[in-house]
Amino acid sequence: MAIIDRPLAIGAGDEAAATADRPLGDLTRPKNSESWRDWLITVDHKKIGIMYGVAAMFFFVIGGAEALLIRLQLATPNGTLLSPEVYNQVFTMHGVTMIFLVIMPLAAAFANYLLPLQIGARDVAFPRLNALSFWVFLFGGLFLNSSWLLGGGADGGWFNYSPNSSVTFSPSHGIDFYALGLQITGIASLVSAINLITTVLNMRPKGMSLFRMPIFTWMNLVVQFLLLFAVPVISVALFELTFDRLFDANFFNTEKGADPLLWQHLFWIFGHPEVYILILPSFGIISEVIPTFSRKPIFGYSFMVFSGIAIGFMGWGVWAHHMFVSGIGPISVAAFSFSTMFIAVPTGVKILNWLATIWGGRLRFTTAMLFAVGVVSMFTIGGLSGVTHSIAPADTQQTDTYYIVAHFHYVIFGGALLGIFSGFYFWWPKMFGYMLNERIGKWNFWLQIVGFNVTFGPMHILGLQGMSRRIDTYDEDFGFEFWNLVATIGSFIIAAGIAIFFYNVAYSRKEWKKAGMPNPGPDPWDARSLEWMTASPTPEHNFDEEIIVESQDEFWHRKYGYDENNNVVRIATAEEVAQDGSNHNVHLPSPSYFPIVLALGLPIVSYGLIYSLWLCIPGAALIIYGFVGWIFEHPDDPNAAHDHHDDHGDSDDPEAVEAGAEDVDVDEVVAEAEEELVAAGAEMESDNG
Amino acid sequence: MTATDNIQDHGHDHAHDDHGHPSDRSYVMIALLLGFLTAIEIVMFIFEDDLPGAFNKIGLIALMIVKFIIVGGYFMHLKFDDNILTKLFLAGLVLAVGVYWIMLSAFEFSFWNDGYEDTGFWDGQVEFEQRIEDQSS
Amino acid sequence: MASATAVVDEHAGHDDHGHAETNTGISNNKLAMWLFLSSDCLLFGALISSFLLYRTNISDGTEFEGPGEVFDIPFTSLSSFILLMSSLTMVLALSAVNRDDERSGRIWMLCTAFLGMLFIGGQVFEFTEFAGKGLGYTTNTWTSAFYTLTGFHGVHVSVGILMLLGTVFGTRNSGMGKEKSETVELVGLYWHFVDIVWVIIFTVIYLIPIG
């Protein structure tokens, strides 16, 4: 791995890096090339985090384009831009893309980058598995989107209810791509969850007890547990769907007495925790941003932690509120109605805590802070409309209308996405070494938040007027024209806001280079947690030496103390406290080709399952090759100087890794083997007539 | 996390001795016990018709749980390992039992009554019940 | 900066000499394994509940009268017993490796793999029998759910066999003494988990009577 190939910017061959302070350490590795190839083989959690972010923003543009197509189609009555079939595909893929390929990986980007830093660790517990997660996710996402070029995307809504998702009703391969693609990204999430939980539980430095961890780390720990337990549920549902569609199994075959509600239950047992998987990372981000810019510690730290855990826990007991009109019976409806009302409580606790943090603070309205306040206000609206759904009779009226669309966009766009943008502005200097322009950032914020409300606010009205979701058009005299047009205009305002963000990235970078690349310093925001206690951008080895933690907000407490009157006074500058990243004597885990090789096998096997089982053979061969290579590869470069400077997360013992790695990959091995077995069985079956 | 600090310098070599793992002999005894429990299960199955239905089911499930705990506690040495592993595993296990139990209840599925209690809840149920009736008559 | 690195070393996840100096005192590998097993509970839970839902749902228009007709309980009991005993050989392997008794460790692990293969053989035999009675994967909801559930379990067992053989043969040069104890332990954890899943399947799917 590049000795000090700092993650200055996305892409590579960064001339800027070359001129920066770059003394070569004494452990130069043979594989270092400082070219784009480094990114393919890296196991550095920071680079992987950045790649997650770049990949997710790529999918974000795709998903955004799909959203604009939907809005253009609905701008006027009897729209003819999209045929009903294409419209079905567009809204389905918009949802799937935004949820699984944008919000989740953006959250993963922050989690990967920040979790080890915030707990003061060198890297994640299993760096190679971390790389595997990313590549599996990326290839899964590309596989999913390749359906556009191969006969059209999935067309059954992001939840693909059965029996509508059967071959009879959706004969194209779209839903096969959906089932297999999400299966692949699920593997990525599961591996990543195991990795990050292990990291947080096992790799904290001295003094960093669980209740000194920043809220962001806490929320992500909860999210990883949710993923750990939710992913297998959707995996089974997707396997059953895949087997139904490809091998004529009968899980959802109503002709043979199957119960289509099985899919709905399994999907939402996963699906509701998924909602919290989307929103909690954002809660974590703004719980870092708000205290920093209010210059106050977070109000009610333990309440924040426990309400996060409570949300995670209760999130498992409310799934059937998505099914109030599915005929689940009065007892189920009553029970789930009740539990749904209750889950608003811990969320309300969080909102009150944020408000109390802001209250009386010396506020600085930076762009990051504006986005964070945007989350608090917009999410509250979305949360409140959510509570209206818990009342089953009202929900019966609202189900499948635009009211629901309005609700979940207020939660996911207004909650999750705005929070992620807050995180961009906040951590950008830490990740890339330059600040995003604040003036342009404010344009970005205001366009985004105004556009957002103009787009999704009217959908509440449209929904209550009775406009149905997932219908490709409406007639002139329905009374939907005005608000639909408004919403479409709003969606383009959002698009402009997002475009300004991309412009801001390019502009700020250019200006920064023009100004001779001034370093923003370790701590440009006067922040509180450990990631600011090292140089910006983060050096490859994170910290020069272990930080012994003595309190919550350790970094802040090293900068500030109390005078005799108990007033807060600054006792040290950030530069004095922070480490300068000059220790190049740290042994880091070596890069590896095998994660990307192994990951590449998965989409090939999936294409094989859809088109020709023969294609599974090279795919499986690639997986096995990657796997065997992985096991016998020493996690550390044997050619690197290897004295006592061992500091890497992965095990040195290839055999131990074998077991560890193998376990985590069992799922996919199981998947492939099972699929092949069943495929063979199905073929035998059909041969036998 | 203070407790963990104490055990931090356990070398792997000593870890097992310190935790007092069972000897090979006790492992064999445990396995024999498991075999014995399995034998009871089979006997219960054979004499299924002579035992009250609920007794049979409760008994079989109780035996299953006992076997589960023995394998988990001794063979997977949860009994001797750090508590946190038991908690993590139980988290998944309890969650699984919980959500799937609720799900099956929402189907008005009853473990004790074999299938569905209400009528016409799913496609084909009426025919199914008709068939059962035809068979018994 | 050597001293600084030395400080860092103290909290390193692993290195060649020490072991598992982690916050929990449990090695990363072992913790990850347990997390995976915990997650797998949800996987098998979903498969088992899918099966339970379709347990009596056999309205497929064929002659199939229900599982009682095809289950061969004495045979399945035997294969369940075999899998249970493979857990015994697995702990004996670990115990031997902990004693640094490499030879016995290898023998016991091979025994475990062999018993696992017997179990898989039994499963293949059972599937063939069922298929011979006209119960294909696509015949009805019951067969789909049954083959998928037991198939997933079978694949887990097969992966376990590969892990066992991989450990025995992959360590021919490096040896499989005490230092490999954790590897054997992790393989063992996975193996026992697969065993307890079968304990549940055997009771809930095979033994609990219907009607």
Side-chain angles (χ1 to χ4, degrees):
Chain A
M1 190 174 298
I3 266 306
I4 296 295
D5 184 21
R6 293 183 174 172
L8 267 168
I10 307 131
D14 202 324
E15 324 77 36
T19 55
D21 150 58
R22 185 205 293 265
L24 285 178
D26 51 6
L27 289 178
T28 311
R29 297 284 177 78
K31 274 188 189 170
N32 296 339
S33 58
E34 295 191 9
S35 74
W36 57 272
R37 286 183 198 85
D38 277 4
W39 292 84
L40 299 183
I41 57 174
T42 185
V43 295
D44 178 4
H45 73 97
K46 297 179 290 297
K47 282 186 174 175
I48 290 168
I50 289 169
M51 288 197 290
Y52 260 115
V54 174
M57 289 313 272
F58 167 72
F59 290 122
F60 185 50
V61 172
I62 294 178
E66 285 156 0
L68 292 179
L69 282 176
I70 296 172
R71 283 319 318 164
L72 279 176
Q73 164 76 8
L74 294 177
T76 52
N78 300 316
T80 52
L81 180 66
L82 306 173
S83 68
E85 293 75 29
V86 175
Y87 183 82
N88 285 347
Q89 295 170 20
V90 170
F91 78 72
T92 301
M93 290 300 286
H94 166 71
V96 173
T97 304
M98 287 302 191
I99 290 167
F100 293 98
L101 307 181
V102 178
I103 304 285
M104 280 173 76
L106 279 175
F110 283 106
N112 259 297
Y113 197 99
L114 292 168
L115 236 56
L117 284 172
Q118 286 204 327
I119 60 171
R122 178 74 70 224
D123 204 320
V124 292
F126 304 100
R128 289 188 299 176
L129 284 182
N130 204 19
L132 179 72
S133 298
F134 168 72
W135 293 112
V136 169
F137 146 71
L138 178 64
F139 294 144
L142 293 174
F143 171 81
L144 190 55
N145 272 288
S146 71
S147 60
W148 284 118
L149 309 173
L150 297 166
D155 54 4
W158 81 283
F159 38 75
N160 272 307
Y161 276 0
S162 70
N164 192 38
S165 57
S166 65
V167 181
T168 318
F169 298 107
S170 180
S172 82
H173 279 305
I175 292 180
D176 298 327
F177 277 98
Y178 162 90
L180 292 165
L182 292 191
Q183 193 74 266
I184 296 175
T185 58
I187 293 167
S189 299
L190 185 64
V191 172
S192 174
I194 291 174
N195 200 348
L196 291 176
I197 294 172
T198 309
T199 306
V200 172
L201 291 184
N202 255 356
M203 298 184 66
R204 286 164 285 126
K206 283 198 180 60
M208 178 59 92
S209 63
L210 287 174
F211 282 89
R212 284 178 187 166
M213 298 195 308
I215 302 281
F216 176 80
T217 301
W218 257 112
M219 292 305 108
N220 270 291
L221 181 62
V222 174
V223 166
Q224 302 309 326
F225 268 106
L226 289 176
L227 281 170
L228 182 75
F229 296 135
V231 168
V233 185
I234 190 73
S235 289
V236 169
L238 291 169
F239 273 129
E240 293 180 349
L241 179 62
T242 310
F243 294 165
D244 264 21
R245 286 184 59 92
L246 297 179
F247 311 127
D248 297 325
N250 299 307
F251 287 103
F252 311 118
N253 182 356
T254 45
E255 276 174 41
K256 293 205 172 159
D259 195 327
L261 280 187
L262 176 63
W263 168 268
Q264 292 194 22
H265 275 291
L266 290 179
F267 186 85
W268 289 116
I269 289 175
F270 153 81
H272 203 83
E274 169 73 14
V275 173
Y276 297 104
I277 290 166
L278 298 175
I279 192 67
L280 284 177
S282 170
F283 283 0
I285 289 171
I286 67 167
S287 300
E288 301 297 308
V289 171
I290 288 177
T292 300
F293 295 114
S294 305
R295 306 193 200 202
K296 278 176 66 189
I298 187 91
F299 181 86
Y301 172 88
S302 49
F303 274 90
M304 288 304 261
V305 172
F306 282 115
S307 60
I309 296 172
I311 290 173
F313 186 72
M314 292 165 78
W316 288 94
V318 297
W319 77 84
H321 68 215
H322 298 269
M323 301 163 60
F324 280 159
V325 295
S326 300
I328 53 173
I331 298 173
S332 301
V333 168
F336 280 99
S337 199
F338 200 59
S339 61
T340 305
M341 290 176 202
F342 260 102
I343 203 167
V345 174
T347 320
V349 167
K350 281 194 177 307
I351 294 194
L352 289 177
N353 277 346
W354 289 318
L355 294 180
T357 308
I358 295 171
W359 182 266
R362 285 187 294 140
L363 304 185
R364 280 179 294 166
F365 281 103
T366 59
T367 309
M369 180 67 168
L370 286 175
F371 272 111
V373 173
V375 172
V376 177
S377 46
M378 294 303 112
F379 183 82
T380 306
I381 298 175
L384 287 175
S385 62
V387 176
T388 65
H389 299 148
S390 70
I391 299 148
D395 183 71
T396 309
Q397 179 75 18
Q398 293 149 4
T399 295
D400 280 351
T401 69
Y402 264 81
Y403 190 81
I404 304 285
V405 180
H407 158 68
F408 65 66
H409 279 96
Y410 265 85
V411 176
I412 295 178
F413 191 118
L417 194 71
L418 291 184
I420 283 163
F421 270 85
S422 173
F424 280 150
Y425 280 90
F426 188 55
W427 280 298
W428 203 270
K430 184 52 70 185
M431 292 177 178
F432 300 107
Y434 65 95
M435 317 274 290
L436 288 177
N437 186 295
E438 280 289 315
R439 191 172 46 81
I440 303 175
K442 279 174 185 150
W443 274 99
N444 174 5
F445 168 74
W446 285 112
L447 281 173
Q448 221 165 309
I449 197 134
V450 169
F452 164 71
N453 280 293
V454 172
T455 308
F456 298 108
M459 288 186 188
H460 289 110
I461 302 166
L462 284 171
L464 293 177
Q465 284 177 342
M467 180 169 168
S468 294
R469 288 170 77 178
R470 308 186 206 109
I471 306 292
D472 65 302
T473 190
Y474 51 92
D475 225 338
E476 266 161 38
D477 45 3
F478 286 1
F480 299 154
E481 292 95 330
F482 176 71
W483 289 119
N484 267 305
L485 186 61
V486 170
T488 301
I489 293 169
S491 67
F492 279 87
I493 300 177
I494 298 176
I498 307 283
I500 283 184
F501 171 74
F502 286 118
Y503 171 73
N504 195 359
V505 171
Y507 174 84
S508 306
R509 187 176 157 71
K510 204 180 87 205
E511 289 296 302
W512 170 68
K513 276 188 176 171
K514 220 188 276 174
M517 292 186 293
N519 193 299
D523 178 29
W525 308 115
D526 195 10
R528 314 179 73 88
S529 46
L530 291 187
E531 73 269 26
W532 304 102
M533 215 170 127
T534 188
S536 300
T538 319
E540 183 144 26
H541 58 277
N542 291 1
F543 297 104
D544 292 339
E545 51 190 287
E546 183 180 2
I547 297 167
I548 311 291
V549 178
E550 281 160 2
S551 56
Q552 261 172 42
D553 291 337
E554 173 72 16
F555 180 47
W556 190 86
H557 283 287
R558 292 191 185 198
K559 289 187 293 184
Y560 291 92
Y562 298 96
D563 64 9
E564 60 276 11
N565 300 325
N566 234 6
N567 292 324
V568 175
V569 288
R570 193 180 256 280
I571 52 175
T573 65
E575 280 72 15
E576 284 165 5
V577 176
Q579 305 177 352
D580 60 6
S582 61
N583 179 4
H584 303 301
N585 222 359
V586 181
H587 190 112
L588 292 165
S590 306
S592 172
Y593 287 107
F594 294 110
I596 189 170
V597 170
L598 211 168
L600 196 56
L602 291 170
I604 297 178
V605 169
S606 304
Y607 283 120
L609 286 172
I610 294 177
Y611 291 108
S612 154
L613 291 175
W614 290 108
L615 199 54
C616 292
I617 296 171
L622 205 57
I623 293 172
I624 293 167
Y625 168 70
F627 199 53
V628 172
W630 183 308
I631 293 166
F632 288 102
E633 180 190 58
H634 210 267
D636 267 311
D637 193 336
N639 296 329
H642 195 101
D643 44 24
H644 62 285
H645 295 304
D646 276 346
D647 189 34
H648 42 80
D650 222 331
S651 168
D652 250 354
D653 174 354
E655 292 310 319
V657 171
E658 165 184 307
E662 200 151 17
D663 313 330
V664 182
D665 295 332
V666 160
D667 235 16
E668 75 203 22
V669 175
V670 167
E672 260 85 53
E674 173 70 15
E675 278 158 8
E676 275 167 349
L677 188 84
V678 174
E683 276 194 338
M684 270 163 51
E685 237 352 90
S686 53
D687 289 347
N688 295 342
Chain B
M1 291 301 109
T2 49
T4 57
D5 291 339
N6 303 333
I7 55 170
Q8 271 199 352
D9 45 9
H10 272 192
H12 194 58
D13 315 355
H14 312 296
H16 290 277
D17 310 337
D18 289 353
H19 290 301
H21 272 217
S23 63
D24 285 6
R25 199 186 146 78
S26 4
Y27 280 135
V28 175
M29 299 305 286
I30 292 165
L32 285 177
L33 176 63
L34 286 168
F36 178 66
L37 292 176
T38 311
I40 298 181
E41 286 179 337
I42 294 160
V43 169
M44 285 181 77
F45 177 81
I46 293 169
F47 295 102
E48 181 196 323
D49 299 336
D50 306 329
L51 296 163
F55 174 80
N56 213 335
K57 284 178 181 173
I58 293 171
L60 283 171
I61 288 180
L63 286 170
M64 175 186 90
I65 293 171
V66 170
K67 282 165 76 180
F68 190 103
I69 292 173
I70 292 175
V71 175
Y74 290 89
F75 286 178
M76 298 169 94
H77 37 86
L78 279 175
K79 189 166 182 289
F80 312 101
D81 266 340
D82 195 303
N83 225 324
I84 189 175
L85 294 178
T86 313
K87 286 180 191 158
L88 284 175
F89 187 58
L90 275 181
L93 188 66
V94 170
L95 193 63
V97 173
V99 292
Y100 297 127
W101 191 281
I102 296 172
M103 178 182 96
L104 288 172
S105 309
F107 280 109
E108 313 203 5
F109 167 90
S110 167
F111 202 70
W112 313 109
N113 296 325
D114 308 315
Y116 303 82
E117 280 168 333
D118 68 338
T119 49
F121 186 72
W122 43 274
D123 296 344
Q125 185 183 359
V126 177
E127 298 101 319
F128 169 63
E129 278 167 356
Q130 191 58 48
R131 275 183 60 192
I132 298 287
E133 256 172 49
D134 293 347
Q135 280 164 26
S136 52
S137 62
Chain C
M1 291 306 283
S3 62
T5 4
V7 174
V8 172
D9 277 351
E10 278 174 23
H11 87 282
H14 290 264
D15 60 26
D16 286 10
H17 335 292
H19 197 79
E21 276 194 37
T22 59
N23 300 97
T24 54
I26 301 157
S27 82
N28 287 345
N29 289 331
K30 191 167 167 184
L31 188 62
M33 177 51 123
W34 273 108
L35 288 169
F36 169 73
L37 296 182
S38 184
S39 164
D40 231 20
C41 289
L42 277 286
L43 183 99
F44 278 107
L47 290 165
I48 290 172
S49 30
S50 295
F51 176 83
L52 286 177
L53 188 63
Y54 294 144
R55 171 173 79 141
T56 54
N57 186 356
I58 46 175
S59 54
D60 60 335
T62 63
E63 296 299 306
F64 179 49
E65 299 279 335
E69 182 192 324
V70 285
F71 281 159
D72 182 356
I73 296 297
F75 178 78
T76 315
S77 305
L78 182 64
S79 59
S80 301
F81 185 73
I82 287 172
L83 197 61
L84 210 51
M85 287 309 113
S86 76
S87 266
L88 172 64
T89 54
M90 190 67 234
V91 281
L92 293 179
L94 177 61
S95 171
V97 172
N98 279 337
R99 284 196 312 269
D100 216 3
D101 182 352
E102 186 174 334
R103 195 180 132 77
S104 308
R106 286 181 194 278
I107 290 173
W108 284 124
M109 282 180 83
L110 287 174
C111 278
T112 313
F114 176 71
L115 291 173
M117 286 184 222
L118 273 185
F119 176 83
I120 292 291
Q123 201 166 35
V124 171
F125 174 76
E126 186 191 38
F127 282 14
T128 325
E129 286 284 292
F130 285 13
K133 290 178 183 163
L135 295 178
Y137 185 62
T138 59
T139 307
N140 56 31
T141 51
W142 186 91
T143 59
S144 292
F146 174 79
Y147 285 123
T148 306
L149 168 60
T150 49
F152 261 84
H153 180 266
V155 171
H156 271 73
V157 176
S158 308
V159 169
I161 294 171
L162 290 178
M163 285 161 73
L164 285 162
L165 295 180
T167 313
V168 171
F169 294 108
T171 56
R172 262 181 314 178
N173 298 327
S174 58
M176 201 178 76
K178 242 179 189 175
E179 72 287 349
K180 291 288 188 293
S181 161
E182 190 186 63
T183 310
V184 177
E185 186 184 355
L186 294 181
V187 175
L189 285 178
Y190 176 80
W191 190 261
H192 299 309
F193 176 77
V194 173
D195 185 24
I196 54 178
V197 170
W198 187 258
V199 165
I200 295 175
I201 292 179
F202 180 56
T203 306
V204 174
I205 278 70
Y206 287 88
L207 290 184
I208 300 262
I210 295 173

